[in-house]
């Protein structure tokens, strides 16, 4: 919030008018802060995101969620404010530190299962473009994350069940229920992408335990997460099952007991309530 005051006072210093444009050049932290500053300056001026990290390219810069942190918590103040353009130049990724790259890799791995596409086959620039397209499709169907809880329809974008309306942005959270719990339980020793990798494999194991998918589909998750992206697939040692279950129960999707985004015969959908004993047993499959 201190940064937002600094940025908006700078906008005042420039004399930025409602006809001007804020250009955010950076990773997701920059596009979030600049996007929020643009949303509140003169009650909203145009913003263009120039994403320089992989995570910003495939996730943070797309979809119009802007937010800043307070000492009391992450993303507590924000606004939905769509950028009028997003630029992703993959040449920028050559200088990105490897762990920051992995943070984006986890989100990229997620898109393999939201779309049903063979993203492996695409070169990096086309894969980034396809991830942007997939996220934009979910956002267009549910700009303010109002849908998708309480049982959504399938989500194979571009396939026979390409019924995006009614699915909701919540599906973009695939793999994130365990990921967020792991980030907290490990004190952020894992990057977001590493945690999402483990979370995707866990979501597959849980879906298999619930007989929603077969062993081949679980193997496909492991092949993408561990094979294509080289992300970890096991919970770090010393992280307690009861702590993870308690953290997952506090997930923002949870309305009626443990709630997960899970793969299944109709594609990925929100499923609740999940029996804690089943969720706990599935954790053993990713240890
Ligand atoms: N608004 C959304 O929908 C949304 C979605 C996901 C994440 N986020 C937010 O995005 C942030 C994470 O984004 P991030 O992973 O880009 O992190 P980040 O913005 O913190 O960037 C990570 C690091 O990489 C550096 N960096 C960025 N681009 C670089 C480049 N081309 N070369 C060298 N270094 C570079 C940054 O300076 C920083 O040190 C979090 O704050 C998260 O809350 C927002």
């Amino acid at each position: 919030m201190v940064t937002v005051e600094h940025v908006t006072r700078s906008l005042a210093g420039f004399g930025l008018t409602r006809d001007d444009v804020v250009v955010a050049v950076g990773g997701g932290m920059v596009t979030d802060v600049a996007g929020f500053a643009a949303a509140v300056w003169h009650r909203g001026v145009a913003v263009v995101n120039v994403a320089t990290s992989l995570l910003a390219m495939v996730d943070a810069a797309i979809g119009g969620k802007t937010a800043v942190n307070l000492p009391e918590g992450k993303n507590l103040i924000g606004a939905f404010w769509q950028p009028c353009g997003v630029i992703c130049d993959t040449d920028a990724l050559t200088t990105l530190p490897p762990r920051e790259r992995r943070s984006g890799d986890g989100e990229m791995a997620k898109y393999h299962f939201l779309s049903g596409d063979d993203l492996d086959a695409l070169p990096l620039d086309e894969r980034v473009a396809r991830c942007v397209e997939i996220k934009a499709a979910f956002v267009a169907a549910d700009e303010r994350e109002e849908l998708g809880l309480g049982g959504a329809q399938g989500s194979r974008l571009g396939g026979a069940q390409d019924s995006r309306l009614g699915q909701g942005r919540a599906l973009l959270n695939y793999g994130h229920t365990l990921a967020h719990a792991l980030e907290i339980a490990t004190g952020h020793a894992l990057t977001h992408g590493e945690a999402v990798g483990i979370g995707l494999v866990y979501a597959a194991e849980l879906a298999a335990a619930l007989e929603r998918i077969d062993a081949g589909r679980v193997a496909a998750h492991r092949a993408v997460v561990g094979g294509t992206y080289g992300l970890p697939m096991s919970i770090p040692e010393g992280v307690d099952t009861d702590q993870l279950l308690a953290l997952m129960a506090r997930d923002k999707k949870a309305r009626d007991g443990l709630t997960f985004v899970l793969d299944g015969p109709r594609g990925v959908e929100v499923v609740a309530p999940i029996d804690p004993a089943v969720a706990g047993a599935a954790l053993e499959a990713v240890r």
Side-chain angles (χ1 to χ4, degrees):
M1 206 54 199
V2 174
T3 310
V4 171
E5 182 177 352
H6 174 75
V7 169
T8 47
R9 290 187 71 181
S10 300
L11 300 183
F14 303 149
L16 198 94
T17 72
R18 297 192 76 178
D19 292 335
D20 293 322
V21 179
V22 172
V23 181
V25 184
M29 206 258 281
V30 170
T31 56
D32 265 15
V33 172
F36 181 70
V40 295
W41 177 253
H42 288 341
R43 299 189 184 85
V45 293
V47 59
V48 171
N49 288 334
V50 181
T52 62
S53 71
L54 183 59
L55 187 128
M57 291 182 189
V58 300
D59 192 358
I62 318 291
K65 274 192 187 176
T66 72
V68 294
N69 303 334
L70 287 180
E72 287 76 10
K74 192 172 151 75
N75 290 346
L76 287 181
I77 298 184
F80 286 100
W81 190 245
Q82 293 295 343
C84 56
V86 179
I87 296 172
C88 304
D89 181 346
T90 50
D91 283 353
L93 301 178
T94 52
T95 55
L96 194 66
R99 282 202 90 193
E100 299 300 344
R101 171 74 185 246
R102 280 158 81 83
S103 213
D105 283 341
E107 296 295 345
M108 270 202 146
K110 171 188 81 178
Y111 287 114
H112 286 246
F113 306 104
L114 292 180
S115 68
D117 288 9
D118 185 11
L119 294 180
D120 284 10
L122 300 176
L124 180 65
D125 54 348
E126 288 178 32
R127 202 185 291 183
V128 168
R130 182 63 185 131
C131 291
V132 170
E133 204 172 39
I134 296 165
K135 177 154 185 187
F138 278 99
V139 172
D142 179 23
E143 189 179 1
R144 291 176 174 245
E145 201 166 340
E146 291 159 339
L147 304 173
L149 299 175
Q153 293 127 39
S155 71
R156 297 202 192 286
L157 298 189
Q161 300 170 55
D162 187 0
S163 160
R164 293 176 184 141
L165 287 175
Q167 294 164 23
R169 275 182 96 141
L171 301 194
L172 292 165
N173 238 233
Y174 189 43
H176 283 60
T177 313
L178 178 61
H180 289 147
L182 280 173
E183 287 178 286
I184 295 169
T186 64
H188 293 270
L190 294 169
T191 67
H192 182 64
E194 289 163 349
V196 170
I198 301 165
L200 288 169
V201 174
Y202 171 67
E205 293 287 357
L206 180 56
L210 294 166
E211 298 184 347
R212 297 175 54 84
I213 60 172
D214 61 19
R217 186 72 175 151
V218 178
H221 279 71
R222 289 185 178 273
V224 168
V225 172
T228 306
Y229 293 103
L231 292 163
M233 295 191 285
S234 303
I235 295 170
E237 289 202 2
V239 182
D240 179 64
T241 292
D242 287 342
Q243 185 191 9
L244 289 176
L245 287 173
L247 287 167
M248 291 195 292
R250 297 213 300 261
D251 185 88
K252 70 175 182 209
K253 291 183 296 303
R255 299 284 192 281
D256 178 24
L258 279 172
T259 303
F260 290 90
V261 179
L262 294 178
D263 202 359
R266 291 167 302 200
V268 173
E269 59 190 353
V270 177
V271 184
I274 302 290
D275 181 348
V278 177
L283 285 171
E284 297 311 310
V286 283
R287 289 200 186 269

